[in-house]
Amino acid sequence: MKQTSEIGFEPDWLSLREPVDHRSRDQDLLRRAAGCVAEGMTILDLGSGTGSTARAFANAGFSDLNWRFVDNDPALLRIAASRHPNAQCVQCDLSRIDGLDLNRVGLITASALFDLMPESWVDALVKWASAAGIPVYTALNYDGVMRWSPADPHDEGVTQAFNQHQRTDKGLGLALGPEAGSRFARVCAADGYAVSSAQSPWHLGAEDTTLHAKLLAGIAQAAHEVGKDEAQDWAAARQKTLSQTLGFIGHTDHLAVPR
Ligand SMILES: C[S@@+](CC[C@H](N)C(=O)[O-])C[C@H]1O[C@@H](n2cnc3c(N)ncnc32)[C@H](O)[C@@H]1O
């Protein structure tokens, strides 16, 4: 059954997480991904939201690239279009990945997307991209590891419950959740790609309390939905000491380049 309590794709949440996402991305992989794009070619950004991946590339010095944003949320695409007037915006659902136009596409990108997707979708994406000989860069795939300092005895149980929720249906079938990055890397390697992977964890500190507070609320809600009743009390206790708490939320980035 599809679960409805996602932390969400609201513009406010996406803009709150963007600075942390940008500083967490592995910069070497990002630069190598940008280097895959030949002059005049387009980057196809799947589940683009408001265009955060394009801004991450621009912040790293790659501001002169052609982008095509694909998302099923028209409100997010409107923001993307206003912030990136030269980008193409395509509103469609990613369920039929092979229906997307790959003409003059030199790189496929995605961030914070693959963990929402089922195994069959990731497998189909890799087959489709490899048949066309196109590199794929995927960033900020949640990997199932969350830690806080100081620790709380409920951290592990809440994390396990959250991870269980991550594997529920996010729209296209049971999601890979924490296994998304490793599945992508494995399938790419078997399909003729050279794959490079790196860690891109969020390190949350005193300057990130707004994001951290919203994240804890989302984690608690998701954990509660799969039966972890103490999750709400866990989050309430954590909220009280947030400015003295360090959070670690594990993610991975991957770049797959045709051999
Ligand atoms: C967590 S957000 C990440 C957005 C953006 N990549 C970023 O890093 O800020 C996931 C995005 O995928 C989009 N998305 C999720 N499922 C989708 C689907 N089935 N078809 C098209 N877009 C989808 C959402 O609308 C949202 O914009």
Side-chain angles (χ1 to χ4, degrees), residues 9 14 47-49 52 71-73 76 92-94 111-113 172:
F9 310 135
L14 295 182
S48 62
S52 183
D71 207 288
N72 60 1
D73 186 325
L76 296 179
C92 78
D93 196 90
L94 292 170
S111 63
L113 178 75
L172 298 182

Side-chain angles (χ1 to χ4, degrees), residues 146-163:
M146 297 196 286
R147 286 193 299 270
W148 289 269
S149 175
D152 176 291
H154 293 297
D155 289 349
E156 196 180 327
V158 171
T159 299
Q160 278 172 14
F162 179 71
N163 290 349

Side-chain angles (χ1 to χ4, degrees), residues 28-242:
D28 179 52
L29 280 195
L30 188 154
R31 278 191 293 273
R32 286 168 56 197
C36 292
V37 188
E39 176 100 35
M41 299 295 273
T42 293
I43 304 178
L44 180 68
D45 188 33
L46 305 176
S48 62
T50 65
S52 183
T53 295
R55 292 187 289 280
F57 277 59
N59 291 346
F62 303 99
S63 49
D64 203 15
L65 296 167
N66 304 318
W67 290 90
R68 185 180 304 150
F69 298 140
V70 180
D71 207 288
N72 60 1
D73 186 325
L76 296 179
L77 280 180
R78 271 195 297 279
I79 297 171
S82 70
R83 297 188 70 176
H84 301 273
N86 294 328
Q88 301 167 38
C89 292
V90 179
Q91 188 199 335
C92 78
D93 196 90
L94 292 170
S95 50
R96 288 299 317 277
I97 188 81
D98 55 2
L100 288 173
D101 180 12
L102 283 181
N103 186 34
R104 301 199 61 73
V105 169
L107 175 69
I108 296 169
T109 59
S111 63
L113 178 75
F114 284 10
D115 41 33
L116 304 170
M117 297 308 207
E119 185 176 292
S120 57
W121 186 89
V122 169
D123 292 3
L125 164 80
V126 172
K127 284 244 160 316
W128 173 67
S130 76
I134 298 177
V136 185
Y137 164 69
T138 170
L140 300 157
N141 300 285
Y142 172 64
D143 72 357
V145 179
M146 297 196 286
R147 286 193 299 270
W148 289 269
S149 175
D152 176 291
H154 293 297
D155 289 349
E156 196 180 327
V158 171
T159 299
Q160 278 172 14
F162 179 71
N163 290 349
Q164 185 185 335
H165 189 280
Q166 286 285 106
R167 297 184 183 94
T168 58
D169 188 342
K170 304 295 184 292
L172 298 182
L174 292 182
L176 275 165
E179 280 78 45
S182 54
R183 174 76 194 181
F184 171 77
R186 211 166 44 248
V187 176
C188 281
D191 222 335
Y193 279 104
V195 185
S196 306
S197 302
Q199 307 281 322
S200 51
W202 284 0
H203 292 279
L204 302 176
E207 71 283 13
D208 307 307
T209 49
T210 309
L211 173 74
H212 204 167
K214 203 159 180 193
L215 175 70
L216 289 175
I219 292 170
Q221 190 184 343
H224 181 72
E225 273 191 19
V226 297
K228 191 76 180 165
D229 292 335
E230 58 270 46
Q232 306 285 11
D233 288 345
W234 166 87
R238 282 224 159 279
Q239 304 279 11
K240 286 186 193 145
T241 56
L242 214 45

